[in-house]
């Protein structure tokens, strides 16, 4: 059974604790769906003020929704479209303060106001997909959140071997 330990200290400390929990949770398992499901659940239940956390995987043509927590979401996102498609196309994390000001933002859940999307690449630099977090609060994600989530995305990628 997984026992969630409350995160303490400042934000970098909290992300260090979350990273430790993620390493423990994914340890010894290389299945992509299993690890994406457990990591999205861990993040969703550990961090405050989120309404969607999950994965989109690249199928060679576009992004297809994978394991997530939150309301049902758009299934397919073309590269370059929306925040997720921008992260996948540029291979750069997209940290959006206010999604209403992001041209082409795809509104899956009308409650979403801020978004953080981290691209996922394999060891050869090939696009794997993205890790997407949505919040109902404008400006929810700062640079420390971005660093913490990029670390968690790395842990996920490394767990796949
Ligand atoms: N808002 C995203 C779409 C995915 S959902 O937020 C789950 C985007 O613009 O790419």
């Amino acid at each position: 059974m997984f026992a969630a330990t409350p995160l303490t200290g400042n934000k970098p400390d909290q992300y260090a604790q979350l990273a430790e929990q993620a390493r423990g949770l994914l340890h010894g398992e290389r299945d992509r769906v299993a690890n994406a499901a457990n990591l999205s659940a861990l993040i969703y239940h550990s961090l405050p003020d989120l309404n969607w956390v999950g994965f989109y995987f690249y199928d060679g043509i576009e992004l297809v929704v994978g394991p997530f927590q939150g309301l049902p979401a758009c299934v397919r996102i073309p590269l370059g479209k929306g925040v997720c498609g921008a992260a996948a196309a540029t291979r750069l994390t997209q940290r959006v303060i206010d999604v209403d000001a992001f041209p082409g933002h795809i509104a899956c859940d009308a409650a979403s106001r801020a978004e953080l999307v981290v691209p996922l690449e394999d060891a050869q630099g090939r696009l794997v997909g993205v890790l997407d977090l949505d919040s109902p609060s404008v400006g929810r994600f700062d640079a420390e959140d971005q660093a913490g989530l990029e670390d968690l995305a790395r842990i996920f990628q490394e767990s796949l071997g």
Side-chain angles (χ1 to χ4, degrees):
M1 190 187 71
F2 179 79
T5 320
L7 305 175
T8 57
N10 62 23
K11 221 183 245 194
D13 284 348
Q14 294 189 20
Y15 276 109
Q17 292 156 34
L18 194 52
E20 211 41 54
Q21 292 181 19
R23 277 191 205 94
L25 191 60
L26 307 187
H27 179 74
E29 181 53 66
R30 295 175 65 162
D31 184 88
R32 184 169 85 166
V33 169
N35 287 355
N38 265 339
L39 186 57
S40 40
L42 177 70
I43 295 170
Y44 189 80
H45 291 284
S46 300
L47 298 179
D49 204 18
L50 302 175
N51 62 313
W52 204 90
V53 177
F55 288 78
Y56 279 85
F57 291 124
Y58 181 54
D59 71 353
I61 298 170
E62 55 194 353
L63 296 171
V64 183
V65 75
F68 67 90
Q69 302 275 308
L71 290 179
C74 341
V75 176
R76 292 176 182 274
I77 300 177
L79 295 197
K81 290 275 155 56
V83 187
C84 291
T90 60
R91 310 287 185 94
L92 296 171
T93 297
Q94 304 292 304
R95 182 159 58 86
V96 179
I97 303 300
D98 181 353
V99 295
D100 291 345
F102 189 95
H105 167 252
I106 302 164
C108 292
D109 179 346
S112 297
R113 297 304 313 281
E115 188 155 350
L116 182 68
V117 183
V118 182
L120 305 167
E121 292 179 342
D122 68 15
Q124 287 71 44
R126 290 177 299 223
L127 181 65
V128 170
V130 301
L131 170 60
D132 178 16
L133 282 78
D134 286 26
S135 167
S137 301
V138 169
R140 162 67 180 81
F141 304 108
D142 64 15
E144 291 180 340
D145 293 297
Q146 178 173 342
L149 268 307
E150 286 174 346
D151 197 28
L152 289 168
R154 236 179 337 262
I155 291 167
F156 170 75
Q157 209 38 55
E158 285 167 10
S159 76
L160 306 184

